[in-house]
Amino acid sequence: MEKVVAVVGLTKSYGDVKVVDDVSFSIGEGEVYGLLGPNGAGKTTTISMVMGILRPDAGEVSVGGIPHGPEEMRTKALIGFVPQQNALYEDLTAVENLHFFAKLYGIPRAEAGGRVDEVLAAVGLTDRANEAVSQYSGGMARRANIAAGLMNRPRFLVLDEPTAGVDPQSRSAILEHVRALADSGVAVLYTTHYMEEAERLCDRIGVLDDGRLVAEGTRRELVTRLGERDRIDLAVDGSAGDAARLLEALPGVHAAAAKDGGVELSVDNASELSPAIVRTLAEEGFEMRSLQVREPDLEAVFLSLTGKALRD
Amino acid sequence: MRVIAAITAKDLRQRLKDGSLLLFGLVLPLGMAFLFAHLLGDGPGDGLDIRYLVVDSDGGGLGGVFVDDVLRPLDEDGVISLEEAADTEEAEHLVEEGEADAAFLLPQGFSDTVAGGDRAVIEIVGSADSAVQVQIAREIADSFAVEADASRTAVLEALEAGADETPEALSQRVREQPAPLSLVDDTTADWRELDTATYYAAGLAYFFLFFVVMSSVTGILDERRDGTLARLLAAPVRRSAILAGKSLSATIVGAAGLFVLAAVSSLVLGSQWGPLPGVAALVVSGTLAAVGITAAVVTFSSSSEQATNRISVVAFGLGLLGGGLFPVAQLGALSVLSFATPHRWFLHGLAELGGGSFAAVLVPVLVLSAMAVVTGALSLFRLGRMLNA
């Protein structure tokens, strides 16, 4: 996977307070990187420096292999930005807003109209394109906000809590769209207050706390690092104790116990192990009535790392 | 340039959708100029609407002199509108009905009474609703009385000195003498006066200019609050281009507002701003100065609301000191402070323009431009720091 964004040792202080402390990460082509952290952890400051809005005290950012900063227009042209606020001119229509951003990115006039139609269709706002943004619902304004970030067909897209305050239907549409963008090769930096979004969308996650990146990895890597494992609940005909003893011997099973008439297993990777469990039980004459997988909760990981819930 | 033009066009589009532009740019200054010009003296045509009646029951020489040599020339010059009434009753009735502001009543035997050395009276009947016009009528009559008395004294002294002409011939000679003193326009004065309509139209236009450009200039704080500034900074846009775009839109809006006001006030109030090249130079330099000053205030403010309040205070202060609301002369010793205000130089330039050539506005234009450069540089420095913070 080609590295699109590299962040090395970013540091920023306000007075004596170090709000971002030696943060490093990278994002590859087609990868969604989730940056999670409680309020005040330094996410927005980190994003501002990654965007080139804010000059870091130390550290470097490169985009597409080019050193990036507030005055580097080549890299800025590669980045799409969806800020936390609906950063649109509310007295202008969506079309007027998007044409304005097209001009900022130097998109030729002949091409801009098609590009505006394209991004409006992508976020489902074609029918309301000529209404003032002030007339939009919260969800529509959010989608228009995302559309503005896509005008330049970015290689690197930064979304800062794009679904805050959005209804579930719009949220789902936004997540699907971000996933589709990533699948098309866009590198995505994504922050959210919703853990389920991070679990569903992000290929890798970095956890920020007090300005420092305290953990980084895939969801499974983070969970494993804290000793959390998948759980499988089985209901079988026959002796639950016998079934538990049988399954405990399988590789990848760390613990098995009869519980409430069924069997509870602690395993490394439930989805990989499930076929072997079903096969073993069938070979030994057990009839399995149900199998339920419970993956470890990322919220618990986050709580363990930061001492706070994500939405604190 | 592409980005600056885009930001300017976007700001202008937003301003055109904003009702405050019409309010501060046209309605308020024009309405107040119209009101002030009428309340304080002049109106369209550079003159009060003064309607007088005269009832000449004298029919003699002196009454005829008052009507023919004093009132009629004023009527012919357009200073007053003069009608004759048949008698006192008709004159009083017309004044009561508001058809005239005042009536001069010359009683029967007026000339003979004066010639006999007795006390004669020119009676004035005035409308209670036309205090200024009635006062002017009194002044006219009083001036005539003083002059008549001086003439009478001169004739008497001539006769006592043994003049061999008749009193009538002597009186005629006195009347034919040119006045020893007369009021003429002072073309060498340091500050020529604007007529009332132009003064208030221009003064209020420049006063409200600060409020017109305010919305454009404070827009950068609104953009910071609304998050769009972050989006601009994230785009391939130089910070200087953002500042230039904002300043240019403020300048265009302000200058266009002044030009429109100049045109409309000329048509509606009869104000005379002067030759276009000079007016254009003053409008552009004056607008740049206003943009620079308001932008400087913005850079010392943390929010749009705070900046708006501060600019309002500054605009009122400069307007009061600079003659934007009333003539600088009324400030007395404080009038020296007016030289620190752009209002003074803008109005000074217009006054100079009315009395001289285009070159006459060079000094005001240079002073206004210097104010724009100094405050603009301060704004750029401060805004640069603000955007980098």
Side-chain angles (χ1 to χ4, degrees):
Chain A
M1 188 191 309
E2 187 189 347
K3 194 185 290 182
V4 177
V5 185
V7 174
V8 181
L10 275 191
T11 302
K12 182 75 180 177
S13 298
Y14 290 112
D16 295 334
V17 181
K18 199 173 266 188
V19 290
V20 176
D21 186 4
D22 195 24
V23 168
S24 302
F25 59 87
S26 63
I27 308 174
E29 197 176 75
E31 184 180 27
V32 180
Y33 186 94
L35 194 60
L36 307 185
N39 284 333
K43 296 192 299 290
T44 299
T45 305
T46 301
I47 283 182
S48 295
M49 290 189 285
V50 169
M51 289 305 307
I53 295 171
L54 203 58
R55 204 180 298 278
D57 296 337
E60 293 173 358
V61 178
S62 66
V63 178
I66 304 168
H68 175 55
E71 301 302 326
E72 183 47 78
M73 301 300 137
R74 289 177 301 167
T75 46
K76 282 190 169 184
L78 302 175
I79 304 174
F81 182 38
V82 180
Q84 206 173 102
Q85 280 177 283
N86 287 331
L88 298 167
Y89 301 99
E90 294 213 330
D91 43 356
L92 303 183
T93 66
V95 167
E96 288 170 338
N97 268 286
L98 295 174
H99 273 286
F100 171 63
F101 291 117
K103 285 177 191 165
L104 296 190
Y105 281 90
I107 298 167
R109 185 188 293 264
E111 197 182 323
R115 197 78 73 89
V116 168
D117 292 343
E118 175 187 312
V119 296
L120 283 171
V123 297
L125 282 176
T126 303
D127 294 343
R128 310 285 296 270
N130 290 306
E131 287 181 27
V133 173
S134 59
Q135 302 298 312
Y136 284 1
S137 67
M140 289 167 66
R142 277 285 175 197
R143 284 186 276 150
N145 196 36
I146 292 172
L150 301 177
M151 274 303 294
N152 60 327
R153 288 182 183 154
R155 276 193 73 193
F156 172 37
L157 179 63
V158 178
L159 299 111
D160 192 4
E161 298 187 20
T163 59
V166 170
D167 61 90
Q169 195 176 355
S170 294
R171 179 182 299 172
S172 184
I174 289 170
L175 294 181
E176 282 174 21
H177 192 67
V178 173
R179 188 69 257 173
L181 285 167
D183 291 344
S184 72
V186 177
V188 178
L189 176 59
Y190 193 94
T191 77
T192 180
H193 264 143
Y194 300 104
M195 192 59 80
E196 65 273 19
E197 278 186 15
E199 292 186 319
R200 175 177 163 188
L201 187 66
C202 298
D203 300 308
R204 281 191 305 134
I205 292 166
V207 180
L208 265 183
D209 190 34
D210 287 334
R212 289 180 301 113
L213 199 64
V214 293
E216 186 190 46
T218 62
R219 185 191 64 79
R220 177 155 299 283
E221 285 168 349
L222 289 173
V223 167
T224 306
R225 181 177 150 179
L226 289 179
E228 294 285 335
R229 295 197 169 88
D230 292 353
R231 293 194 177 279
I232 298 176
D233 293 325
L234 295 168
V236 293
D237 285 336
S239 167
D242 291 347
R245 277 188 291 278
L246 177 68
L247 294 174
E248 195 168 21
L250 286 175
V253 175
H254 288 271
K259 188 178 177 185
D260 299 332
V263 180
E264 185 180 272
L265 304 175
S266 175
V267 303
D268 283 335
N269 190 326
S271 55
E272 285 181 8
L273 203 57
S274 293
I277 291 171
V278 172
R279 192 171 53 249
T280 303
L281 287 173
E283 285 171 359
E284 297 299 325
F286 288 93
E287 189 175 336
M288 193 176 69
R289 284 184 281 127
S290 69
L291 181 151
Q292 188 178 5
V293 173
R294 284 186 293 142
E295 294 185 343
D297 188 355
L298 198 55
E299 184 79 48
V301 175
F302 188 84
L303 193 61
S304 169
L305 285 167
T306 68
K308 300 165 192 150
L310 182 57
R311 306 192 74 177
D312 281 352
Chain B
M1 279 308 293
R2 163 184 55 81
V3 170
I4 294 172
I7 292 171
T8 302
K10 185 271 296 173
D11 277 7
L12 290 175
R13 192 188 291 268
Q14 285 183 289
R15 289 307 310 276
L16 288 173
K17 293 185 178 187
D18 176 7
S20 71
L21 180 61
L22 189 65
L23 182 68
F24 286 119
L26 191 63
V27 175
L28 277 176
L30 200 61
M32 287 182 68
F34 186 78
L35 192 67
F36 280 15
H38 279 266
L39 279 179
L40 300 176
D42 289 0
D46 194 19
L48 263 179
D49 188 13
I50 303 174
R51 301 157 305 156
Y52 289 154
L53 296 171
V54 62
V55 180
D56 185 5
S57 303
D58 179 37
L62 199 54
V65 169
F66 180 63
V67 175
D68 295 334
D69 293 356
V70 176
L71 296 181
R72 292 220 184 279
L74 291 172
D75 182 29
E76 288 162 6
D77 289 346
V79 177
I80 66 170
S81 165
L82 184 68
E83 299 286 340
E84 285 196 47
D87 52 34
T88 302
E89 288 72 26
E90 185 191 26
E92 287 176 344
H93 175 71
L94 290 171
V95 170
E96 277 180 18
E97 291 296 313
E99 298 294 324
D101 298 310
F104 297 96
L105 306 178
L106 300 169
Q108 204 168 16
F110 176 70
S111 299
D112 293 340
T113 305
V114 173
D118 294 327
R119 185 170 177 270
V121 172
I122 298 175
E123 191 179 348
I124 293 170
V125 176
S127 167
D129 296 330
S130 306
V132 175
Q133 289 89 333
V134 173
Q135 181 60 33
I136 292 170
R138 287 200 188 96
E139 298 291 341
I140 291 171
D142 192 48
S143 299
F144 178 72
V146 169
E147 192 176 337
D149 192 49
S151 300
R152 190 172 64 88
T153 304
V155 169
L156 283 173
E157 284 178 353
L159 290 172
E160 285 172 5
D164 56 357
E165 293 183 71
T166 62
E168 290 74 18
L170 283 170
S171 297
Q172 183 63 33
R173 283 181 60 189
V174 167
R175 283 202 301 273
E176 288 172 359
Q177 288 299 309
L181 294 173
S182 63
L183 185 64
V184 296
D185 287 341
D186 178 3
T187 55
T188 61
D190 184 48
W191 183 340
R192 277 176 278 279
E193 290 291 330
L194 290 168
D195 63 81
T196 307
T198 307
Y199 171 76
Y200 281 111
L204 287 164
Y206 198 75
F207 173 77
F208 280 106
L209 172 67
F210 280 69
F211 296 93
V212 170
V213 301
M214 180 170 69
S215 289
S216 297
V217 175
T218 58
I220 200 156
L221 292 173
D222 291 327
E223 295 222 19
R224 188 169 69 173
R225 179 196 62 204
D226 298 339
T228 47
L229 182 61
R231 187 158 244 159
L232 293 181
L233 293 172
V237 173
R238 298 200 182 280
R239 282 150 205 246
S240 56
I242 298 173
L243 304 180
K246 296 267 169 216
S247 301
L248 185 58
S249 70
T251 304
I252 290 173
V253 167
L258 281 181
F259 277 124
V260 169
L261 268 174
V264 174
S265 66
S266 299
L267 291 172
V268 177
L269 297 174
S271 59
Q272 296 167 335
W273 287 56
L276 185 59
V279 172
L282 283 169
V283 163
V284 172
S285 58
T287 306
L288 287 170
V291 170
I293 291 168
T294 50
V297 175
V298 164
T299 61
F300 286 94
S301 306
S302 57
S303 70
S304 178
E305 291 72 22
Q306 190 182 54
T308 299
N309 291 337
R310 288 178 174 179
I311 290 172
S312 300
V313 170
V314 169
F316 268 102
L318 292 176
L320 287 171
L321 287 175
L325 296 172
F326 53 79
V328 170
Q330 293 181 23
L331 289 171
L334 285 177
S335 63
V336 69
L337 295 175
S338 67
F339 286 102
T341 70
H343 302 68
R344 155 94 190 203
W345 291 102
F346 181 76
L347 293 171
H348 181 63
L350 281 183
E352 290 291 329
L353 194 61
S357 64
F358 176 70
V361 300
L362 275 181
V363 171
V365 166
L366 284 174
V367 173
L368 288 168
S369 301
M371 287 181 176
V373 168
V374 171
T375 54
L378 175 65
S379 309
L380 281 171
F381 174 71
R382 295 274 310 172
L383 278 169
R385 287 183 59 182
M386 188 177 99
L387 294 182
N388 284 322

